[in-house]
Amino acid sequence: MCGIVGYIGDKEAFPILINGLKRLEYRGYDSAGVALLNGETYLYKRKGKVSDLEEFIGTKSVLGNIGMGHTRWATHGEPNDINAHPHASFHNKFIVIHNGIIENYSRLKEKLIHRGYEFKSETDTEVLANLIEFIYMKGDITAEMAVRLALSKVVGAYGLVVMCKDEPDKLIAARKGSPLVIGIGQGEYFLASDATPIVEYTKSVIYMNDNDVAVISKNELLLKTVDNEALTPNIQELSLDIGEIDKGGYDHFMLKEIYEQPRAIADTFRGRINAEHTNIHLGGLHAVWPNLEKARRIIIVACGTSWHAGLVGEYLFEEFARVPVEVEYSSEFRYRKPIIYADDIVIAISQSGETADTLAAIKIAKEAGAMVLGICNVVGSSIPRETDAGVYTHAGPEIGVASTKAFTAQVTVLTMMALKLAHRKYQISLDQYHHLINELTLIPDKIEKGLLANNHIKKIAELYKDSTNAIYLGRGFLFPVALEGALKLKEISYIHAEGYPAAEMKHGPIALIDKNMPVVVVATKDSSYEKIVSNIQEVKARNGVVIAVVTEGDDTIRKMADHVIEVPETPEHLAPLMSVIPLQLLSYHIAVMRGCNVDQPRNLAKSVTVE
Ligand code: AGP
């Protein structure tokens, strides 16, 4: 989604802004722009990539020690040069960049038009810029007061940075529902929608809270509420490292992140599993285990890949802890008047911690009196702050839009939670508890081994790169993996793909089977192995093409399938962690071979901060 970067200090702002915009590219965007204040206002914006913006700017003036930059992911108005941010107000006094949505923008726009304002773009942001200016010009007030007064009139979400030509030594920032981080340097400040543009300059940061307004000059930061109450900034140390947001020699972030999974999983259980592999300790849940033990039901809310991880969680919690689980798309849950009991536990799963629908689902659950737990990857993001307790995945920054290591880290956390809850409820034998903990610690090495199949998978990708459709099948714990494999293929290669429980094939999708459509079957050895072998036979009997992910040494499926990809043996409860890896690689190679932008697929955003 949209990205924000801002700078004020003694350095030239432009290189910092452009560099920051490049760091933000992973979020997904369709246009970019910068504005600088240097006596005059310099404003450049362009549809397309940051490189298109740089080309457009060429040798034009980019001097100035204060400025802002933005990557836009279109909501109101198509992606074009005019709708791109920053937006200048009608009388050119204010320049604004904005993430989020101003819901009452059309009513505000009408009022401003009545008062003689003209608009160039179709955006809600230009309305905000003009509203601030209108209020500012009407009364004898400062730019900051105008911003606060304007914000009191808007309904919606915003992460906002404002510059005023009359006060050229200030950046004004405000947050409600859309994240903003302030970086503190020596005589300089940085602003960004996440920490990635900041980390190479400073590790001291302030995460703005909802309804915060920051007035920033190069030597001073004033933090207050939108109602003008002074606040004490909570300065925190960034744990993010610059090396973590580089490609590290890989062609794409996605490939790097696939290969990082052994490390991401190990980091996620490190310090949480004891040295003897006999117990699990999740510090973030310490105070809430009694609530989990008493829970009438667990409701998992999430979107996309995180929702698939939630489905694995359902199987784990129900099998081990014997507690009923419902897995809900956050976007449906928030609007369908769900029944939530005060003794339900809601678990929100999110890589980014900023997904708007999941945040809304949390709000509804809290209003109903349920306890809400979070499983998130981005430290300091909104979901960990909105939930009662939770567990961080330690996957490290995930830059590729297609989620890979976040999924396996989420499943790792869910596995630990389910096993620990089962243990506390005496629902699992000590032997099985210890056995599965030990097996979980073996997963990183097994994934390393599984990754050796990369070249073999690449050859299979070459054969199917021109397919137009694909079906992914799995049963039990491997059904969510089939869904995830299909999502990976469609989002980065634009090949239509569907995931199904293998037995459901007979109820419709079997009609699609022909020699042109690959059927990817996740068929490692588990309790429904015989059944999935039958499903493969059913596909082959109809001249289907089968690519099967199997357990090492499986000669039965090897004889039936067109291609097999082997993964090391693991208990079925942990199999999603192993079997998803070849599906990620298959999608990756197919997308690269089709010339797709793997890390920034068309139309997609890394974190979906609008509903
Ligand atoms: C998956 O590859 C996608 N990027 C997407 O489905 C993602 O998982 C979804 O938008 C949820 O994001 P979150 O985990 O940050 O909440």
Side-chain angles (χ1 to χ4, degrees):
M1 295 259 122
C2 304
I4 281 177
V5 59
Y7 176 78
I8 184 163
D10 288 326
K11 298 192 183 109
E12 285 302 326
F14 182 72
I16 294 169
L17 299 177
I18 284 289
N19 190 31
L21 291 182
K22 287 181 181 163
R23 296 273 182 223
L24 291 168
E25 283 191 301
Y26 80 96
R27 292 168 71 100
Y29 70 109
D30 42 55
S31 54
V34 290
L36 298 148
L37 267 185
N38 187 18
E40 278 309 304
T41 306
Y42 296 90
L43 199 161
Y44 308 108
K45 47 193 195 168
R46 218 68 189 153
K47 179 184 170 183
K49 295 287 171 195
V50 177
S51 53
D52 297 316
L53 175 69
E54 281 185 290
E55 202 178 300
F56 167 68
I57 293 172
T59 55
K60 298 184 181 85
S61 173
V62 288
L63 295 176
N65 311 119
I66 166 168
M68 55 170 73
H70 191 265
T71 48
R72 173 175 186 254
W73 188 87
T75 55
H76 294 75
E78 64 170 286
N80 60 28
D81 296 350
I82 294 172
N83 288 334
H85 297 211
H87 288 279
S89 58
F90 185 49
H91 299 286
N92 271 319
K93 286 200 177 290
F94 286 87
I95 301 179
V96 176
I97 52 177
H98 161 228
N99 290 357
I101 291 179
I102 306 301
E103 288 168 19
N104 58 338
Y105 85 106
S106 51
R107 202 167 49 80
L108 294 168
K109 189 171 180 174
E110 266 170 42
K111 286 188 177 171
L112 287 162
I113 288 171
H114 264 94
R115 286 165 173 80
Y117 270 77
E118 288 170 22
F119 288 81
K120 299 187 197 82
S121 77
E122 301 153 89
T123 65
D124 51 347
T125 306
E126 192 185 7
V127 177
L128 194 52
N130 282 336
L131 179 65
I132 295 169
E133 184 183 79
F134 174 72
I135 293 171
Y136 176 76
M137 289 176 72
K138 225 172 62 169
D140 186 17
I141 56 173
T142 62
E144 171 227 325
M145 286 160 85
V147 170
R148 286 192 294 100
L149 281 171
L151 292 180
S152 71
K153 299 193 186 315
V154 305
V155 177
Y158 49 78
L160 190 71
V161 184
V162 181
M163 293 192 301
C164 177
K165 219 169 143 188
D166 296 345
E167 299 179 26
D169 57 345
K170 274 190 199 96
L171 287 174
I172 301 163
R175 172 198 158 130
K176 186 179 175 193
S178 191
L180 272 183
V181 191
I182 303 170
I184 308 165
Q186 296 289 332
E188 60 184 358
Y189 288 94
F190 305 83
L191 265 165
S193 41
D194 66 51
T196 52
I198 293 178
V199 61
E200 58 204 276
Y201 305 108
T202 178
K203 292 232 162 184
S204 290
V205 295
I206 298 163
Y207 291 99
M208 290 181 73
N209 289 314
D210 277 352
N211 299 315
D212 282 4
V213 175
V215 186
I216 309 170
S217 51
K218 71 176 187 177
N219 289 314
E220 192 183 31
L221 164 75
L222 293 174
L223 197 67
K224 49 176 73 179
T225 66
V226 76
D227 301 321
N228 204 23
E229 287 161 26
L231 294 167
T232 309
N234 175 18
I235 300 172
Q236 299 182 36
E237 187 77 0
L238 259 186
S239 53
L240 190 66
D241 203 65
I242 183 70
E244 294 178 271
I245 55 172
D246 284 335
K247 283 190 199 143
Y250 287 88
D251 287 344
H252 297 96
F253 280 111
M254 182 182 177
L255 189 61
K256 178 188 174 216
E257 287 157 6
I258 291 172
Y259 272 83
E260 277 177 343
Q261 288 177 102
R263 200 262 319 136
I265 292 170
D267 283 355
T268 298
F269 66 62
R270 181 169 297 120
R272 290 163 168 172
I273 289 178
N274 67 355
E276 298 76 31
H277 298 174
T278 51
N279 210 351
I280 292 166
H281 174 76
L282 296 168
L285 300 182
H286 182 69
V288 302
W289 283 117
N291 303 69
L292 268 158
E293 283 165 39
K294 282 187 298 201
R296 171 200 288 233
R297 180 176 60 156
I298 291 174
I299 302 173
I300 295 176
V301 290
C303 303
T305 290
S306 298
W307 186 81
H308 297 155
L311 281 184
V312 178
E314 176 184 19
Y315 286 48
L316 289 164
F317 277 114
E318 292 202 345
E319 171 146 350
F320 293 126
R322 305 304 297 152
V323 55
V325 179
E326 284 173 29
V327 189
E328 298 264 2
Y329 285 116
S330 308
S331 54
E332 288 297 312
F333 182 79
R334 66 180 289 193
Y335 286 120
R336 68 166 186 79
K337 299 192 176 55
I339 297 165
I340 309 164
Y341 301 106
D343 52 359
D344 283 340
I345 299 273
V346 174
I347 303 177
I349 307 177
S350 173
Q351 187 287 130
S352 62
E354 301 294 350
T355 299
D357 283 323
T358 304
L359 275 161
I362 290 170
K363 194 162 171 254
I364 285 168
K366 281 169 90 173
E367 281 163 8
M371 171 171 276
V372 186
L373 312 179
I375 298 176
C376 281
N377 194 41
V378 178
V379 177
S381 57
S382 300
I383 290 177
R385 291 192 286 160
E386 293 298 321
T387 43
D388 298 300
V391 183
Y392 276 117
T393 50
H394 292 158
E398 191 179 66
I399 308 289
V401 163
S403 199
T404 51
K405 61 177 180 171
F407 173 79
T408 43
Q410 288 163 349
V411 172
T412 302
V413 167
L414 288 160
T415 306
M416 289 191 288
M417 283 177 73
L419 289 175
K420 179 76 182 182
L421 184 59
H423 174 59
R424 290 182 66 104
K425 290 175 74 176
Y426 305 102
Q427 294 284 358
I428 187 171
S429 71
L430 262 188
D431 274 358
Q432 197 186 13
Y433 183 54
H434 295 167
H435 171 66
L436 286 170
I437 293 174
N438 192 52
E439 285 289 344
L440 184 60
T441 66
L442 302 178
I443 291 286
D445 283 347
K446 290 187 184 179
I447 293 181
E448 292 286 6
K449 204 171 164 205
L451 286 166
L452 297 176
N454 183 40
N455 282 337
H456 170 57
I457 295 169
K458 199 169 171 181
K459 285 184 193 141
I460 298 174
E462 182 69 49
L463 298 174
Y464 297 100
K465 67 177 191 308
D466 297 319
S467 304
T468 50
N469 290 292
I471 282 196
Y472 286 67
L473 302 175
R475 302 182 78 115
F477 284 92
L478 301 176
F479 161 54
V481 176
L483 293 178
E484 176 58 9
L487 176 62
K488 287 289 89 79
L489 187 69
K490 65 187 142 196
E491 72 178 326
I492 60 168
S493 73
Y494 318 142
I495 294 173
H496 175 242
E498 295 294 334
Y500 269 94
E504 272 295 302
M505 189 181 58
K506 289 200 270 297
H507 300 280
I510 200 163
L512 292 168
I513 287 170
D514 63 19
K515 60 182 177 10
N516 298 316
M517 183 185 69
V519 180
V520 181
V521 190
V522 197
T524 51
K525 291 227 167 103
D526 62 13
S527 46
S528 46
Y529 177 74
E530 303 300 333
K531 308 268 177 217
I532 204 139
V533 168
S534 304
N535 297 135
I536 292 173
Q537 281 164 333
E538 286 156 9
V539 176
K540 286 310 299 172
R542 285 156 186 85
N543 291 324
V545 183
V546 171
I547 303 167
V549 175
V550 300
T551 304
E552 242 172 4
D554 183 333
D555 291 329
T556 310
I557 296 182
R558 182 175 288 279
K559 285 183 195 135
M560 295 173 207
D562 297 81
H563 311 276
V564 293
I565 304 167
E566 292 191 343
V567 293
E569 188 167 6
T570 196
E572 67 178 303
H573 317 97
L574 306 179
L577 294 168
M578 293 302 310
S579 52
V580 75
I581 313 283
L583 305 189
Q584 295 168 345
L585 284 169
L586 185 66
S587 309
Y588 170 78
H589 289 302
I590 288 178
V592 171
M593 287 168 193
R594 288 166 70 94
C596 298
N597 186 341
V598 173
D599 284 334
Q600 294 156 35
R602 68 184 180 205
N603 305 337
L604 282 176
K606 181 62 185 163
S607 62
V608 181
T609 52
V610 294
E611 67 169 292

